[in-house]
Amino acid sequence: MPPELEHRAFASVEELWTWLGENHRTHPGLWVVLQKASSPTPSVSFHDLLEAGIAFGWSESTRRANDTTSYLQKFTPRRGKGTTSARNAAIAARLEAAGRMTPAGRTALGY
């Protein structure tokens, strides 16, 4: 059985993008702590995580409960190419037009 992934919270989108910029090539993945809408704790949203993952070639998958104000979202490097939904392809196109796609994101999506 593989070792448990670390749990990490990101208070802002900038913090998430900075972390991915430094770690996307070498890190095995995380359980990202996402706060529920009712929580007073600052947190990136699922959509923020989705966009950053597309840009850097990472993928969100399993979601599980954490506590009464947050949940955990598994976030790991993409393993295969070309497994992109229409929604993700549209996000990638928007990120590309804005100059935010990285070479790792393009490669992971098979571009």
Side-chain angles (χ1 to χ4, degrees):
M1 177 178 227
E4 177 69 13
L5 297 175
E6 72 176 283
H7 293 195
R8 184 173 185 98
F10 297 97
S12 69
V13 173
E14 294 78 16
E15 185 182 344
L16 170 62
W17 280 71
T18 297
W19 187 91
L20 278 168
E22 295 169 357
N23 296 284
H24 73 276
R25 287 185 199 99
T26 58
H27 204 283
L30 304 165
W31 283 102
V32 177
V33 180
L34 297 177
Q35 296 296 320
K36 295 178 181 177
S38 61
S39 173
T41 304
S43 172
V44 296
S45 68
F46 174 81
H47 185 75
D48 297 332
L49 195 65
L50 174 65
E51 282 198 354
I54 290 170
F56 284 95
W58 279 46
S59 180
E60 78 299 331
S61 59
T62 307
R63 179 183 293 186
R64 68 183 190 195
N66 188 40
D67 58 30
T68 59
T69 63
S70 68
Y71 59 93
L72 300 172
Q73 185 71 52
K74 192 172 184 182
F75 192 51
T76 57
R78 285 184 180 268
R79 298 194 205 306
K81 295 180 186 177
T83 58
T84 305
S85 66
R87 174 191 69 173
N88 289 1
I91 292 170
R94 187 173 44 74
L95 290 168
E96 190 70 63
R100 298 196 76 190
M101 279 297 285
T102 68
R106 286 186 205 99
T107 299
L109 295 176
Y111 293 0

